[in-house]
mmCIF file of all heavy atoms in Angstrom:
data_model
loop_
_atom_site.group_PDB
_atom_site.id
_atom_site.type_symbol
_atom_site.label_atom_id
_atom_site.label_comp_id
_atom_site.label_asym_id
_atom_site.label_seq_id
_atom_site.Cartn_x
_atom_site.Cartn_y
_atom_site.Cartn_z
ATOM 1 N N ARG A 53 -7.308 2.491 -16.759
ATOM 2 C CA ARG A 53 -8.260 1.442 -17.153
ATOM 3 C C ARG A 53 -9.177 1.933 -18.279
ATOM 4 O O ARG A 53 -9.466 1.201 -19.234
ATOM 5 C CB ARG A 53 -9.114 1.031 -15.952
ATOM 6 C CG ARG A 53 -8.382 0.230 -14.902
ATOM 7 C CD ARG A 53 -9.347 -0.112 -13.757
ATOM 8 N NE ARG A 53 -8.694 -0.785 -12.658
ATOM 9 C CZ ARG A 53 -8.548 -2.098 -12.553
ATOM 10 N NH1 ARG A 53 -8.988 -2.881 -13.529
ATOM 11 N NH2 ARG A 53 -7.961 -2.630 -11.508
ATOM 12 N N ASP A 63 -1.265 -4.784 -21.629
ATOM 13 C CA ASP A 63 -1.280 -4.925 -20.172
ATOM 14 C C ASP A 63 0.042 -4.496 -19.539
ATOM 15 O O ASP A 63 0.026 -3.832 -18.489
ATOM 16 C CB ASP A 63 -1.605 -6.369 -19.781
ATOM 17 C CG ASP A 63 -3.105 -6.657 -19.837
ATOM 18 O OD1 ASP A 63 -3.904 -5.709 -20.004
ATOM 19 O OD2 ASP A 63 -3.488 -7.828 -19.691
ATOM 20 N N HIS A 67 0.273 -1.770 -16.678
ATOM 21 C CA HIS A 67 0.887 -2.094 -15.392
ATOM 22 C C HIS A 67 1.826 -0.979 -14.959
ATOM 23 O O HIS A 67 1.755 -0.489 -13.811
ATOM 24 C CB HIS A 67 1.641 -3.423 -15.528
ATOM 25 C CG HIS A 67 2.544 -3.737 -14.371
ATOM 26 N ND1 HIS A 67 2.084 -4.207 -13.172
ATOM 27 C CD2 HIS A 67 3.909 -3.659 -14.263
ATOM 28 C CE1 HIS A 67 3.120 -4.401 -12.354
ATOM 29 N NE2 HIS A 67 4.223 -4.084 -12.989
ATOM 30 N N PRO A 122 3.761 -9.915 -11.848
ATOM 31 C CA PRO A 122 2.978 -10.018 -13.076
ATOM 32 C C PRO A 122 2.574 -8.649 -13.608
ATOM 33 O O PRO A 122 2.176 -7.769 -12.834
ATOM 34 C CB PRO A 122 1.743 -10.823 -12.648
ATOM 35 C CG PRO A 122 2.141 -11.526 -11.401
ATOM 36 C CD PRO A 122 3.123 -10.613 -10.714
ATOM 37 N N GLN A 123 2.682 -8.471 -14.893
ATOM 38 C CA GLN A 123 2.323 -7.199 -15.502
ATOM 39 C C GLN A 123 0.911 -7.280 -16.077
ATOM 40 O O GLN A 123 0.711 -7.304 -17.285
ATOM 41 C CB GLN A 123 3.342 -6.828 -16.579
ATOM 42 C CG GLN A 123 4.741 -6.616 -16.019
ATOM 43 C CD GLN A 123 5.708 -6.090 -17.060
ATOM 44 O OE1 GLN A 123 5.316 -5.581 -18.105
ATOM 45 N NE2 GLN A 123 6.984 -6.216 -16.774
ATOM 46 N N SER A 124 -0.049 -7.328 -15.179
ATOM 47 C CA SER A 124 -1.446 -7.426 -15.584
ATOM 48 C C SER A 124 -2.310 -6.799 -14.512
ATOM 49 O O SER A 124 -1.847 -6.478 -13.405
ATOM 50 C CB SER A 124 -1.852 -8.898 -15.778
ATOM 51 O OG SER A 124 -2.055 -9.527 -14.533
ATOM 52 N N TRP A 125 -3.612 -6.651 -14.825
ATOM 53 C CA TRP A 125 -4.549 -6.059 -13.875
ATOM 54 C C TRP A 125 -4.856 -6.993 -12.721
ATOM 55 O O TRP A 125 -5.499 -6.583 -11.738
ATOM 56 C CB TRP A 125 -5.844 -5.669 -14.578
ATOM 57 C CG TRP A 125 -5.719 -4.455 -15.448
ATOM 58 C CD1 TRP A 125 -5.801 -4.407 -16.817
ATOM 59 C CD2 TRP A 125 -5.502 -3.097 -15.021
ATOM 60 N NE1 TRP A 125 -5.638 -3.121 -17.263
ATOM 61 C CE2 TRP A 125 -5.451 -2.286 -16.188
ATOM 62 C CE3 TRP A 125 -5.330 -2.496 -13.790
ATOM 63 C CZ2 TRP A 125 -5.260 -0.905 -16.134
ATOM 64 C CZ3 TRP A 125 -5.126 -1.123 -13.724
ATOM 65 C CH2 TRP A 125 -5.099 -0.342 -14.891
ATOM 66 N N GLU A 126 -4.420 -8.255 -12.801
ATOM 67 C CA GLU A 126 -4.608 -9.169 -11.663
ATOM 68 C C GLU A 126 -3.816 -8.703 -10.450
ATOM 69 O O GLU A 126 -4.164 -9.009 -9.316
ATOM 70 C CB GLU A 126 -4.205 -10.602 -12.030
ATOM 71 C CG GLU A 126 -5.209 -11.340 -12.890
ATOM 72 C CD GLU A 126 -4.937 -12.823 -12.875
ATOM 73 O OE1 GLU A 126 -3.756 -13.202 -12.905
ATOM 74 O OE2 GLU A 126 -5.903 -13.593 -12.842
ATOM 75 N N LEU A 127 -2.731 -7.983 -10.702
ATOM 76 C CA LEU A 127 -1.895 -7.457 -9.632
ATOM 77 C C LEU A 127 -2.318 -6.006 -9.369
ATOM 78 O O LEU A 127 -2.150 -5.150 -10.219
ATOM 79 C CB LEU A 127 -0.420 -7.496 -10.027
ATOM 80 C CG LEU A 127 0.543 -7.008 -8.953
ATOM 81 C CD1 LEU A 127 0.951 -8.162 -8.045
ATOM 82 C CD2 LEU A 127 1.775 -6.374 -9.578
ATOM 83 N N THR A 128 -2.855 -5.756 -8.179
ATOM 84 C CA THR A 128 -3.269 -4.398 -7.835
ATOM 85 C C THR A 128 -2.394 -3.867 -6.705
ATOM 86 O O THR A 128 -1.477 -4.546 -6.221
ATOM 87 C CB THR A 128 -4.739 -4.357 -7.416
ATOM 88 O OG1 THR A 128 -4.870 -4.984 -6.126
ATOM 89 C CG2 THR A 128 -5.638 -5.039 -8.442
ATOM 90 N N SER A 129 -2.701 -2.676 -6.253
ATOM 91 C CA SER A 129 -1.936 -2.062 -5.176
ATOM 92 C C SER A 129 -2.025 -2.853 -3.879
ATOM 93 O O SER A 129 -1.130 -2.769 -3.033
ATOM 94 C CB SER A 129 -2.399 -0.626 -4.954
ATOM 95 O OG SER A 129 -3.800 -0.564 -4.737
ATOM 96 N N ASP A 130 -3.088 -3.656 -3.694
ATOM 97 C CA ASP A 130 -3.171 -4.494 -2.493
ATOM 98 C C ASP A 130 -2.041 -5.521 -2.491
ATOM 99 O O ASP A 130 -1.356 -5.701 -1.481
ATOM 100 C CB ASP A 130 -4.528 -5.210 -2.416
ATOM 101 C CG ASP A 130 -5.676 -4.255 -2.113
ATOM 102 O OD1 ASP A 130 -5.448 -3.234 -1.434
ATOM 103 O OD2 ASP A 130 -6.796 -4.534 -2.565
ATOM 104 N N SER A 131 -1.862 -6.210 -3.625
ATOM 105 C CA SER A 131 -0.767 -7.173 -3.705
ATOM 106 C C SER A 131 0.586 -6.491 -3.629
ATOM 107 O O SER A 131 1.540 -7.040 -3.056
ATOM 108 C CB SER A 131 -0.862 -7.993 -5.007
ATOM 109 O OG SER A 131 -1.774 -9.062 -4.858
ATOM 110 N N LEU A 132 0.699 -5.305 -4.213
ATOM 111 C CA LEU A 132 1.966 -4.575 -4.111
ATOM 112 C C LEU A 132 2.276 -4.195 -2.667
ATOM 113 O O LEU A 132 3.438 -4.214 -2.247
ATOM 114 C CB LEU A 132 1.942 -3.338 -5.008
ATOM 115 C CG LEU A 132 2.115 -3.630 -6.505
ATOM 116 C CD1 LEU A 132 1.792 -2.402 -7.334
ATOM 117 C CD2 LEU A 132 3.539 -4.115 -6.799
ATOM 118 N N VAL A 168 -10.043 -7.909 -2.520
ATOM 119 C CA VAL A 168 -8.645 -7.768 -2.937
ATOM 120 C C VAL A 168 -8.469 -8.517 -4.245
ATOM 121 O O VAL A 168 -9.347 -9.259 -4.682
ATOM 122 C CB VAL A 168 -7.676 -8.323 -1.863
ATOM 123 C CG1 VAL A 168 -7.783 -7.561 -0.562
ATOM 124 C CG2 VAL A 168 -7.922 -9.822 -1.638
ATOM 125 N N ASP A 169 -7.334 -8.341 -4.883
ATOM 126 C CA ASP A 169 -7.093 -9.018 -6.161
ATOM 127 C C ASP A 169 -6.770 -10.501 -5.932
ATOM 128 O O ASP A 169 -6.434 -10.913 -4.815
ATOM 129 C CB ASP A 169 -5.960 -8.326 -6.932
ATOM 130 C CG ASP A 169 -4.628 -8.404 -6.218
ATOM 131 O OD1 ASP A 169 -4.015 -9.486 -6.212
ATOM 132 O OD2 ASP A 169 -4.171 -7.379 -5.681
ATOM 133 N N PRO A 170 -6.879 -11.339 -6.976
ATOM 134 C CA PRO A 170 -6.688 -12.779 -6.813
ATOM 135 C C PRO A 170 -5.277 -13.198 -6.413
ATOM 136 O O PRO A 170 -5.070 -14.316 -5.924
ATOM 137 C CB PRO A 170 -7.066 -13.358 -8.182
ATOM 138 C CG PRO A 170 -6.951 -12.213 -9.138
ATOM 139 C CD PRO A 170 -7.314 -10.992 -8.353
ATOM 140 N N LEU A 171 -4.291 -12.339 -6.630
ATOM 141 C CA LEU A 171 -2.918 -12.681 -6.281
ATOM 142 C C LEU A 171 -2.575 -12.325 -4.840
ATOM 143 O O LEU A 171 -1.539 -12.755 -4.320
ATOM 144 C CB LEU A 171 -1.941 -11.948 -7.211
ATOM 145 C CG LEU A 171 -2.089 -12.243 -8.708
ATOM 146 C CD1 LEU A 171 -1.081 -11.421 -9.508
ATOM 147 C CD2 LEU A 171 -1.915 -13.726 -8.991
ATOM 148 N N PHE A 172 -3.431 -11.577 -4.186
ATOM 149 C CA PHE A 172 -3.120 -11.073 -2.842
ATOM 150 C C PHE A 172 -2.781 -12.173 -1.842
ATOM 151 O O PHE A 172 -1.803 -12.034 -1.081
ATOM 152 C CB PHE A 172 -4.271 -10.210 -2.318
ATOM 153 C CG PHE A 172 -4.044 -9.685 -0.931
ATOM 154 C CD1 PHE A 172 -3.241 -8.571 -0.720
ATOM 155 C CD2 PHE A 172 -4.629 -10.300 0.168
ATOM 156 C CE1 PHE A 172 -3.023 -8.089 0.557
ATOM 157 C CE2 PHE A 172 -4.428 -9.822 1.451
ATOM 158 C CZ PHE A 172 -3.613 -8.706 1.648
ATOM 159 N N PRO A 173 -3.537 -13.279 -1.768
ATOM 160 C CA PRO A 173 -3.218 -14.305 -0.760
ATOM 161 C C PRO A 173 -1.781 -14.814 -0.880
ATOM 162 O O PRO A 173 -1.143 -15.100 0.136
ATOM 163 C CB PRO A 173 -4.240 -15.407 -1.027
ATOM 164 C CG PRO A 173 -5.410 -14.693 -1.623
ATOM 165 C CD PRO A 173 -4.805 -13.614 -2.490
ATOM 166 N N ARG A 174 -1.270 -14.920 -2.110
ATOM 167 C CA ARG A 174 0.091 -15.414 -2.311
ATOM 168 C C ARG A 174 1.115 -14.481 -1.660
ATOM 169 O O ARG A 174 2.028 -14.937 -0.958
ATOM 170 C CB ARG A 174 0.396 -15.514 -3.813
ATOM 171 C CG ARG A 174 1.820 -15.952 -4.125
ATOM 172 C CD ARG A 174 2.230 -15.592 -5.536
ATOM 173 N NE ARG A 174 1.280 -16.060 -6.537
ATOM 174 C CZ ARG A 174 1.387 -15.774 -7.843
ATOM 175 N NH1 ARG A 174 2.399 -15.033 -8.280
ATOM 176 N NH2 ARG A 174 0.496 -16.218 -8.691
ATOM 177 N N TYR A 175 0.953 -13.180 -1.873
ATOM 178 C CA TYR A 175 1.913 -12.240 -1.306
ATOM 179 C C TYR A 175 1.676 -12.020 0.189
ATOM 180 O O TYR A 175 2.634 -11.825 0.947
ATOM 181 C CB TYR A 175 1.837 -10.909 -2.067
ATOM 182 C CG TYR A 175 2.274 -11.039 -3.507
ATOM 183 C CD1 TYR A 175 1.347 -11.032 -4.548
ATOM 184 C CD2 TYR A 175 3.617 -11.196 -3.830
ATOM 185 C CE1 TYR A 175 1.747 -11.168 -5.865
ATOM 186 C CE2 TYR A 175 4.023 -11.333 -5.148
ATOM 187 C CZ TYR A 175 3.087 -11.315 -6.160
ATOM 188 O OH TYR A 175 3.486 -11.460 -7.458
#
Side-chain angles (χ1 to χ4, degrees):
R53 288 180 184 271
D63 279 351
H67 168 77
Q123 297 187 18
S124 77
W125 287 112
E126 283 196 321
L127 182 89
T128 71
S129 54
D130 290 330
S131 277
L132 284 168
V168 297
D169 65 74
L171 301 178
F172 179 80
R174 177 200 308 175
Y175 294 105

